[in-house]
Amino acid sequence: MVDRKTVVADQLVDFLPNLRRFAISLCRSRQTADDLVQAACERALASADRFEPGSRFDAWMFRILRNLWIDQLRRQKTAGVQDNIEDRHDLVGSSGERVVEARLTLKSVSEAIADLMDEQREVLLLVCVEELSYRDAAEVLDIPVGTVMSRLARARKNISAATGLESVDARYANRDGRD
Amino acid sequence: MPTVTAGIEMTTFSDETVMRYVDGELDEETSALLEAELATDADLNRRLEMFAETRLAAQEALRPMLDEPVPEQLQASVEAMVAKAKGSPAGQSAPIGNTKARLFSPANDWVRVAAAACIAAVLGVAAGLMLGGREPASGLQIAGIENEELATALGSVPSGDEKTLDSGAFKAVSSFRDSQQALCREFELAIANDSRVSSVACVDAGKWKLRFAVNLPGNDQDYAPASSSEALDAYLAGINAGAPLSAAEEKAALDGLR
């Protein structure tokens, strides 16, 4: 039987870019993300015996990383540390003017993704970008498949609205209305 | 939430059903019904397009993040823990030299001091050998390797291989980079009868310079006594030695020296 630790260890390094991308989208700071990735790798190797051979390694890793992140958020909350709003503004625009401007102009897709609520962004990333099945995503996020679907649908409608895909919709709708 | 205005034909498929179709999560039967309706239902088409476009757009928007190089420190640290996890037990030969993890946890200062004292005692001897009889310029300072044959071996022998030199049997152990990204090699030199020296040399301004040397007593083939290997480990931790380079990385690095 192949040693599970070896199975995990063999895949870990190649998976770093994906793991890092997921981490950055969770915590919105590259510095924090890198620490998180490192901690997740340590945790994965330490609990490699719990990895089911044949199951999806990526889903397993995402789950470990996300659980670590949730723990960290909890600890920050109990320690009274506020969510860092600066980071969020880094990705969108902080001044009042820019906010107004953002309402008038269409956002890029990455801005729109950054603007999503955390719970929508993570499910979007897992399903649309990392191409996990709804069921795998549900397991990573510890939520029912139905919740994956409702969040995912909302995430996509929001992106569509923010980036102007919806204006295409509206055009169609108008035409339909007149016809 | 999109609202369906009265007067526009309502489709029977919910947004979630359309999304599941796009994501390949809808059962065959419902998929067939949906496809049948696509031909006549503009609203269904629009919604389908929206879910398909957002999926693609999200993938494209986040793809550049995959191409971002993983920060070296993270990469090295994970490679080190992977190497450690797969750890080759003592005495077992690893594919490329010494794959033992060189974690760059901040070395305990006292360990480094103790190691340095031990190194100082030995460096003079080793440096004397490698400098081809010349006196090392200054005690613990980095000593240039003037021995041509040794410098050539350092620049060409792959880790894990051995080469017989005039000054003794040379064995390349591993290659790695220090915190300044200088290429370094750990190697052993067996001199005459009973003396083996374990050393680290790094490239500095295009020349190999001796950074560390410690005596390995005896001709014991497999195993360095704990005190010597500890001194070496402490030294490597002290210079923030990265994880050992793979065979390919090492070759590229050595080729790059020429």
Side-chain angles (χ1 to χ4, degrees), chain A residues 123 134-135 137-139 141-151:
Chain A
V123 76
Y134 292 174
R135 223 181 63 189
E139 225 164 273
L141 302 171
D142 234 342
I143 53 176
V145 171
T147 312
V148 166
M149 291 195 281
S150 56
R151 288 181 185 173

Side-chain angles (χ1 to χ4, degrees), chain B residues 85-130:
Chain B
K86 295 165 79 171
S88 42
Q92 186 182 318
S93 65
I96 165 139
N98 184 358
T99 54
K100 185 177 172 189
R102 303 289 186 207
L103 276 172
F104 42 37
S105 55
N108 290 325
D109 281 343
W110 67 267
V111 175
R112 287 162 66 187
V113 172
C118 162
I119 295 156
V122 133
L123 193 60
V125 179
L129 284 164
M130 292 173 203

